[in-house]
Amino acid sequence: MFNNVVAACAQCSLTRCPLVSWLIDGFYRVGVCVSFVSMVVCVGVLCTAAVQIAARIGAKAGYPLADAWSMVLEVQKYLGVAHFDQRATPHVGSDSQHSRLSRRLVGTPDPQVLRPIIPGVTLPTGHLWHYLLALSICAIIHELGHAFAAARACVPLRNLGVFVMGIYPGAFVELCKTKLDQASVGSRLSIVCAGVWHNAVTALLVFVLVRSGGLGAVFSHTGWTRVTNGVVISDVASNSPLHNRIPLLSTVYRIDDVYLQSNYSNTWNTNDRFGETSIARWTHILTATTNRDTNTAGYCASTVENMDDGLCCEMSPEFPLGESPDNDVFCFERFAQPSKLSLSKHTPMCFDLRSVLERSDAANRCQSDSDCLQPNQRSHLYTGKQKSSICVLPSSPFASSRVVRIYYHLPNNQTEHMLLYAGSPTELWLDVQVSSLCPRYPYLPHTLPSWIETLMQYILSFSLAFCLLNALPAYYLDGDLAFKLLITAVEQRTRVARATKCNILASADSKPLYKKELTDSGTEEPVELSRGGQMVYTAVTALTTALLGWCIVGSVLLLAL
């Protein structure tokens, strides 16, 4: 029945119109070109990933092979292929199990090119339903591309279905092999490449829908209001330390000294390197910055308040916030970056975190110690020792944990509130779901916009992944048959060119040396690859399959290490 539906759609009266038919055929011809471009791009990505994985495994094993990845990065930077923001580089030593999990989830300035998707390891468990639904949608769109292109070429469907392998959903179509083999090489290429092309078009449509504000416009016209001065808290995980501490639908408008409103300008935030939208700034601040990135000024504190217990500055990957039993005592460092010579002579400074950071008004912020030596502005800090005040900042030598000041408004209330968070900023980003939309009516689900936005992000990612990976000339992928058909088409053109040249040289009465053979149905006979073509096809496909297998095994091995 489904075969009849697809055939009816492909051969309906509208598609029989010459102009519409020409546009549809042109659409799939463009898809063939895009598929081969994707094939070339993905082969390059695969080679880069293979070198990167080998280099990282070699680095962990202590072999000099790790230098190979540095060479790849230098070539990428020289060609302008890759750009890495050095400001977002994690601190040296941040190699705890927690920080490694964080980097797997959101990436680093030097991210792993290919990563396996494993729920709870490289995929947040809270995004599992987004993942499964997006993967199912992309798989169905891919297979519908094959089915519709086959119906256009009068190749009937024999079977169509969905399956689940473990927890990973998928779909498939089975075409009539006899009719498929009798179709022209161009028709077969259109059918084989249609799945990749449909995924590419899907990715483009989702990107335009999200980036143009079309998705927000749909919600704005169906009961939601766009928030322009920050992000709205739509959900907080029950196991998060912020659960029941920030009311839902509160508006977070500032993190540390960075305002989430992108066009906001103040004394401490005059650039826009954190993102163009509130959501982008929220994500960038919590996943790719340090305390020094988001605090453009330090805090004045008196040395007489130093509560050093010998443990608060004993930081390590296992204890990124120090080993002090008092959770209110935190390690601080001077706001002015110490020189390498004075770094070893650094004196631990431990202050009450809340006492120092709650004095975050402009009068108590500083750029250097001299800014804290003004009794007329900060008289409450001095007890007869004016030189006892210094300019400090919470110390965060490990990227897995840091101190974050969160400023927010309550729903329907513009009163400002400040909340201190000490822990993993990545966990904060994962546990707190935010949106740029707020429901106007109480019966509307406040989590729906953020849920749809997350789903769109996964659909975009998976569509691009389908577009690239399926175009690879590897066994069991669409690129395998597409590459074989490409060689066939090249050999056919070569034979036609040679035969045409020979026919021109032959006399008019002689029998042509080349004749295009047709079957009774008017379609081309299947043409076998020449020996040279078969060798090229086998070598490229086997090599690509081996590289893909190495990337899969190597990436899983890196997770284990």
Side-chain angles (χ1 to χ4, degrees):
M1 181 181 70
F2 187 79
N3 181 36
N4 295 333
V5 173
V6 174
C9 293
Q11 303 294 339
C12 65
S13 57
L14 179 62
T15 59
R16 291 175 186 173
C17 172
L19 177 60
V20 175
S21 179
W22 179 82
L23 290 175
I24 293 176
D25 293 339
F27 174 79
Y28 283 107
R29 281 194 292 269
V30 172
V32 173
C33 299
V34 171
S35 297
F36 284 111
V37 171
S38 299
M39 181 184 295
V40 174
V41 171
C42 194
V43 168
V45 171
L46 194 66
C47 293
T48 303
V51 175
Q52 183 195 47
I53 291 172
R56 290 189 173 184
I57 293 178
K60 292 181 180 294
Y63 292 103
L65 181 62
D67 295 336
W69 179 240
S70 299
M71 296 173 60
V72 173
L73 291 182
E74 291 300 324
V75 172
Q76 287 182 334
K77 292 178 183 178
Y78 177 77
L79 297 176
V81 176
H83 170 71
F84 301 104
D85 190 351
Q86 298 299 326
R87 295 188 304 263
T89 304
H91 294 289
V92 176
S94 58
D95 198 27
S96 65
Q97 182 179 2
H98 192 174
S99 64
R100 288 199 302 270
L101 175 60
S102 300
R103 293 198 299 273
R104 291 170 190 167
L105 293 175
V106 297
T108 65
D110 179 12
Q112 187 173 321
V113 177
L114 294 179
R115 292 182 298 166
I117 302 298
I118 303 175
V121 180
T122 59
L123 176 76
T125 53
H127 291 182
L128 183 59
W129 289 112
H130 301 87
Y131 169 80
L132 295 177
L133 182 57
L135 188 59
S136 301
I137 292 173
C138 292
I140 292 173
I141 290 175
H142 181 92
E143 298 303 331
L144 284 178
H146 292 308
F148 192 79
R152 286 287 302 170
C154 299
V155 177
L157 283 171
R158 294 187 59 185
N159 203 357
L160 173 107
V162 296
F163 63 89
V164 176
M165 182 180 295
I167 64 170
Y168 301 101
F172 68 93
V173 292
E174 182 182 357
L175 305 177
C176 178
K177 191 174 184 307
T178 303
K179 294 291 185 180
L180 182 62
D181 290 339
Q182 291 177 354
S184 65
V185 174
S187 297
R188 279 182 282 172
L189 272 174
S190 297
I191 295 171
V192 172
C193 297
V196 170
W197 178 227
H198 275 218
N199 288 131
V201 172
T202 301
L204 179 62
L205 292 177
V206 171
F207 178 80
V208 171
L209 179 65
V210 174
R211 293 289 295 181
S212 66
L215 184 61
V218 172
F219 281 111
S220 298
H221 288 83
T222 53
W224 279 266
T225 302
R226 179 171 292 279
V227 176
T228 59
N229 63 336
V231 295
V232 178
I233 304 294
S234 59
D235 192 24
V236 180
S238 58
N239 59 346
S240 171
L242 297 184
H243 185 65
N244 292 330
R245 295 191 63 187
I246 296 185
L248 297 181
L249 301 182
S250 296
T251 301
V252 177
Y253 65 92
R254 174 181 164 190
I255 296 179
D256 290 339
D257 293 336
V258 181
Y259 284 80
L260 299 184
Q261 185 176 350
S262 58
N263 59 354
Y264 191 95
S265 177
N266 73 324
T267 305
W268 301 324
N269 179 32
T270 58
N271 55 62
D272 193 34
R273 63 185 176 88
F274 294 101
E276 299 178 357
T277 64
S278 299
I279 297 292
R281 296 167 77 83
W282 163 271
T283 300
H284 183 81
I285 291 170
L286 295 182
T287 60
T289 60
T290 66
N291 273 345
R292 292 190 177 275
D293 293 321
T294 56
N295 286 278
T296 56
Y299 305 86
C300 289
S302 174
T303 56
V304 299
E305 298 175 349
N306 192 347
M307 306 171 62
D308 183 24
D309 56 3
L311 294 175
C312 80
C313 288
E314 293 296 323
M315 296 179 171
S316 64
E318 291 75 24
F319 299 96
L321 297 178
E323 299 184 27
S324 176
D326 189 346
N327 294 330
D328 294 329
V329 177
F330 201 84
C331 184
F332 283 74
E333 62 186 13
R334 290 184 181 272
F335 180 73
Q337 284 279 14
S339 64
K340 294 183 178 179
L341 295 177
S342 63
L343 188 60
S344 59
K345 301 179 181 179
H346 172 65
T347 302
M349 296 178 292
C350 302
F351 300 101
D352 183 277
L353 183 65
R354 186 174 298 277
S355 175
V356 174
L357 265 63
E358 284 185 346
R359 299 196 296 256
S360 59
D361 54 284
N364 290 293
R365 302 302 296 276
C366 54
Q367 295 292 334
S368 63
D369 293 349
S370 60
D371 295 338
C372 298
L373 300 179
Q374 301 176 17
N376 61 333
Q377 291 186 2
R378 303 178 180 87
S379 58
H380 65 282
L381 291 177
Y382 302 95
T383 57
K385 299 181 180 180
Q386 292 184 0
K387 294 185 179 181
S388 64
S389 295
I390 55 177
C391 188
V392 296
L393 188 70
S395 179
S396 300
F398 297 93
S400 58
S401 293
R402 57 180 279 203
V403 177
V404 178
R405 290 178 291 126
I406 303 173
Y407 295 84
Y408 64 95
H409 297 303
L410 293 176
N412 302 320
N413 189 339
Q414 293 302 311
T415 304
E416 296 183 355
H417 296 267
M418 193 267 282
L419 177 67
L420 290 178
Y421 174 86
S424 168
T426 301
E427 291 298 321
L428 172 62
W429 178 72
L430 292 172
D431 292 339
V432 179
Q433 298 295 317
V434 299
S435 175
S436 59
L437 297 166
C438 182
R440 290 196 293 265
Y441 310 107
Y443 58 83
L444 291 175
H446 55 269
T447 60
L448 183 61
S450 61
W451 202 94
I452 296 296
E453 289 171 358
T454 304
L455 177 64
M456 289 297 180
Q457 293 174 4
Y458 275 102
I459 291 177
L460 175 61
S461 299
F462 288 146
S463 294
L464 290 175
F466 271 64
C467 178
L468 290 174
L469 291 178
N470 264 292
L472 272 176
Y475 294 119
Y476 305 110
L477 297 179
D478 293 341
D480 177 20
L481 185 55
F483 185 64
K484 187 174 184 179
L485 289 171
L486 176 64
I487 298 176
T488 301
V490 171
E491 289 186 343
Q492 281 188 354
R493 281 186 171 272
T494 303
R495 284 195 294 268
V496 171
R498 289 176 180 175
T500 302
K501 183 177 180 180
C502 292
N503 285 335
I504 292 175
L505 297 176
S507 62
D509 297 332
S510 61
K511 183 179 180 181
L513 300 179
Y514 172 80
K515 181 180 178 181
K516 189 175 183 179
E517 299 293 340
L518 298 175
T519 62
D520 294 337
S521 60
T523 57
E524 297 182 15
E525 285 282 5
V527 180
E528 296 294 333
L529 291 178
S530 65
R531 184 177 179 182
Q534 185 65 41
M535 291 177 61
V536 171
Y537 162 74
T538 303
V540 172
T541 306
L543 179 60
T544 308
T545 304
L547 279 176
L548 181 60
W550 160 248
C551 290
I552 294 173
V553 174
S555 59
V556 174
L557 183 60
L558 279 177
L559 288 179
L561 296 176

